[in-house]
């Protein structure tokens, strides 16, 4: 008889977006005349750039002809694309052979978890993208072997690494979803030194690196000397090129990486992906090559700049005395705290008083309690309207009090 994977019972119910949906629906039933400003989005909204669309069309045409049809490609993806990524995103510091093209960062995080088995200890930032935690639990890691590292304004959103002493695997997301915090060179240096000392493997999620505006901040863990001995990096075309639906990402696994017993992690990754993955979609790869072209890269940078313009609107919220706005420059999210209010209280207030949909920070970990995440993916106009509504509401509240 089929037995359920017992680790499903370790997962907490995934009610965050369901609950947001229910509260939105209930509000609209009570106020059918109202229009909601959805700043809860983690998804991109701008269309693909024309050069990418053309490339997909041309490739699809070729796929429809006997003489140019293509089936399976290499599991680790097209060499041309790997070379392009090596040059465009790593200025050559990562070699093409160490880049593995995939169907997205989330999928690769799930596959990376195949490397370690269940007898490992894991550390992760709190709050953070929930996939590292849930994937680890499903992989069979005991809940007591998962250590949460609070990242709050009090520690400038960089965790106290002594809480992760001796852990086997440490997930690190920079720029962070949801806080928007991007680690500095010094902080990543500290992380790499820690990993070397403790024998820890870092899984570095750089899915939002394209949003980093401060030229002094590292976009990759491999900008830190020695990181190739301790880190794997996942990245994605999702946010940079609007490929959340197209699906294309990559993982960097350095050849130097070893388990404590000396076996090659690089070789195991090739083996593991060969078993459970059949390579990225060749249509998506054609689209990815267009992204890396001069025209495509420029267009994607312009898209990012459009989201950044929306992000910039959030700055106006600094005028509201009770609001504290964090980050909001190197990631597409504003992370907001209102002293004395829980995440869900704040969510309800924004919804009921300003018709704004946010994401309660507590849904990303207990250290996210008291915050909400607002997204610039909603676009300049929607973010502007939301800020107007918040400022109006704040000034009315001050007058009444
Ligand atoms: N990593 C982080 C931190 C994310 O927030 C997301 C999606 O929102 C992903 C990875 C997923 O990336 P992909 O679309 O490439 O699977």
């Amino acid at each position: 008889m089929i037995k359920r994977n017992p680790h499903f019972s370790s997962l907490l119910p995934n009610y965050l977006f369901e609950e947001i949906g229910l509260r939105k629906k209930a509000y609209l039933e009570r106020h059918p005349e109202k229009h909601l400003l959805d700043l809860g989005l983690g998804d991109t909204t701008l269309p693909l750039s024309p050069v990418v669309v053309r490339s997909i069309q041309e490739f699809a045409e070729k796929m429809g002809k006997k003489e140019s049809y293509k089936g399976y490609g290499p599991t680790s993806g097209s060499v041309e694309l790997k070379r392009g990524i090596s040059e465009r995103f790593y200025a050559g510091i990562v070699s093409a052979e160490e880049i593995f093209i995939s169907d997205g960062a989330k999928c690769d995080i799930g596959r990376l978890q195949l490397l370690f088995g269940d007898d490992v200890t894991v550390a992760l930032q709190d709050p953070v993208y929930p996939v590292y935690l849930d994937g680890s639990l499903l992989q069979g890691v005991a809940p007591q072997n998962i250590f949460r590292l609070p990242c709050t304004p009090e520690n400038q959103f960089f965790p106290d690494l002594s809480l992760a002493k001796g852990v086997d695997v440490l997930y690190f997301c920079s720029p962070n979803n949801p806080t928007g915090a991007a680690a500095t060179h010094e902080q990543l240096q500290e992380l790499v030194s820690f990993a070397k000392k403790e024998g820890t493997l870092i899984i570095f999620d750089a899915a939002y690196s394209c949003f980093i505006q401060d030229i002094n901040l590292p976009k990759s863990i491999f900008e830190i000397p020695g990181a190739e001995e301790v880190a794997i990096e996942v990245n994605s075309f999702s946010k940079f090129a609007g490929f959340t639906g197209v699906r294309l990402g990559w993982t960097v696994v350095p050849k130097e990486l070893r388990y404590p017993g000396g076996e090659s992690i690089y070789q195991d990754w090739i083996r593991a992906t060969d078993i459970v993955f059949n390579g990225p979609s060749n249509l998506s790869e054609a689209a990815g090559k267009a992204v890396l072209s001069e025209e495509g890269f420029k267009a994607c940078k312009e898209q990012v700049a459009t989201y950044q313009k929306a992000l910039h609107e959030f700055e106006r919220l600094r005028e509201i005395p009770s609001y504290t706005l964090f980050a909001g420059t190197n990631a597409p999210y504003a992370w907001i705290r209102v002293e004395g209010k829980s995440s869900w209280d704040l969510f309800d207030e924004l919804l009921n008083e300003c018709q704004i949909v946010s994401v309660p920070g507590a849904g990303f970990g207990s250290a996210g309690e008291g915050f909400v995440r607002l997204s610039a993916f909603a676009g300049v106009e929607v973010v502007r309207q939301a800020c107007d509504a918040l400022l109006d509401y704040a000034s009315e509240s001050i007058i009444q009090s």
Side-chain angles (χ1 to χ4, degrees):
M1 222 177 7
I2 180 80
K3 283 204 190 83
R4 187 184 191 219
N5 174 348
H7 307 306
F8 273 109
S9 57
S10 306
L11 298 174
L12 291 172
N14 181 12
Y15 73 95
L16 178 67
F17 286 95
E18 198 183 316
E19 183 62 27
I20 291 173
L22 288 175
R23 292 191 192 202
K24 265 163 74 172
K25 189 163 167 269
Y27 179 83
L28 287 173
E29 276 166 9
R30 275 182 277 124
H31 305 279
E33 76 293 353
K34 297 274 193 199
H35 171 72
L36 295 180
L37 301 165
D38 196 347
L39 270 61
L41 299 170
D43 200 354
T44 46
T45 49
L46 292 171
L48 296 177
S49 67
V51 61
V52 172
V53 173
R54 269 200 318 276
S55 173
I56 296 175
Q57 283 167 336
E58 282 164 21
F59 193 80
E61 284 293 329
K62 285 191 193 159
M63 290 291 276
K65 294 198 181 94
K66 192 167 184 349
E67 59 282 12
S68 48
Y69 167 78
K70 281 201 161 57
Y72 293 125
T75 305
S76 66
S78 126
V79 174
E80 185 190 335
L81 198 53
K82 293 179 189 199
R83 286 202 187 114
I85 290 172
S86 164
E87 281 161 26
R88 284 271 186 213
F89 293 98
Y90 296 102
I93 56 168
V94 164
S95 75
E97 299 96 76
E98 293 171 310
I99 295 172
F100 295 80
I101 314 290
S102 75
D103 50 351
K106 188 182 197 177
C107 319
D108 265 353
I109 293 162
R111 285 187 285 263
L112 280 167
Q113 289 163 341
L114 290 173
L115 294 177
F116 319 121
D118 56 8
D119 189 18
V120 285
T121 50
V122 168
L124 34 95
Q125 293 151 295
D126 177 4
V128 83
Y129 187 49
V131 172
Y132 321 130
L133 172 65
D134 287 348
S136 298
L137 289 169
L138 208 52
Q139 166 197 344
V141 180
Q144 68 273 19
N145 286 339
I146 301 180
F147 301 91
R148 290 168 180 79
L149 312 177
C151 294
T152 60
E154 290 65 41
N155 60 16
Q156 287 79 48
F157 299 101
F158 187 77
D160 173 0
L161 294 176
S162 69
L163 299 173
K165 233 173 155 8
V167 294
D168 299 313
V169 181
L170 191 155
Y171 291 91
F172 199 91
C173 180
S174 178
N176 178 283
N177 175 13
T179 67
T184 63
H185 263 282
E186 293 68 32
Q187 289 171 332
L188 290 191
Q189 181 63 66
E190 185 184 333
L191 188 64
V192 167
S193 303
F194 168 87
K196 280 191 176 175
K197 183 158 169 268
E198 301 293 326
T200 301
L201 177 74
I202 301 165
I203 298 185
F204 189 79
D205 187 340
Y208 291 97
S209 57
C210 59
F211 285 94
I212 294 180
Q213 296 189 63
D214 182 343
I215 52 164
N216 297 313
L217 293 177
K219 292 189 168 183
S220 163
I221 186 95
F222 297 115
E223 289 179 41
I224 309 303
E228 65 286 353
E229 293 162 38
V230 289
I232 288 175
E233 177 166 299
V234 291
N235 208 323
S236 174
F237 282 73
S238 280
K239 315 288 167 166
F240 177 57
F243 275 28
T244 50
V246 175
R247 310 302 305 146
L248 196 68
W250 71 89
T251 289
V252 178
V253 183
K255 287 187 180 165
E256 286 96 324
L257 270 188
R258 306 265 152 197
Y259 298 99
E263 308 92 335
S264 162
I265 295 183
Y266 180 81
Q267 292 300 340
D268 272 6
W269 177 243
I270 295 176
R271 188 71 211 275
T273 44
D274 238 4
I275 294 170
V276 297
F277 185 49
N278 245 341
S281 145
N282 51 18
L283 263 171
S284 303
E285 285 195 309
K289 286 174 197 166
V291 167
L292 299 182
S293 68
E294 283 304 319
E295 190 185 343
F297 212 68
K298 187 164 165 270
C300 291
K301 281 185 153 176
E302 280 164 13
Q303 285 209 341
V304 169
T306 307
Y307 292 129
Q308 275 160 343
K309 225 166 136 190
L311 194 61
H312 196 68
E313 288 290 317
F314 287 124
E315 287 298 314
R316 293 162 56 210
L317 301 182
R318 294 198 193 276
E319 286 171 33
I320 305 178
S322 56
Y323 277 41
T324 319
L325 174 70
F326 295 98
T329 46
N330 297 305
Y333 302 121
W335 186 239
I336 290 171
R337 177 162 73 179
V338 177
E339 218 50 67
K341 287 211 166 100
S342 76
S343 291
W344 279 108
D345 284 349
L346 196 49
F347 172 91
D348 283 336
E349 184 175 344
L350 297 189
L351 180 64
N352 293 320
E353 307 298 339
C354 305
Q355 291 71 54
I356 293 171
V357 181
S358 59
V359 182
F364 296 94
S366 56
E369 180 55 273
F371 294 82
V372 287
R373 189 192 78 179
L374 297 179
S375 166
F377 286 131
V380 181
E381 202 36 53
V382 176
V383 174
R384 191 171 290 151
Q385 286 173 29
C387 292
D388 288 344
L390 279 166
L391 285 160
D392 285 350
Y393 172 63
S395 57
E396 276 166 29
S397 311
I398 289 169
I399 292 165
Q400 280 164 19
S401 61

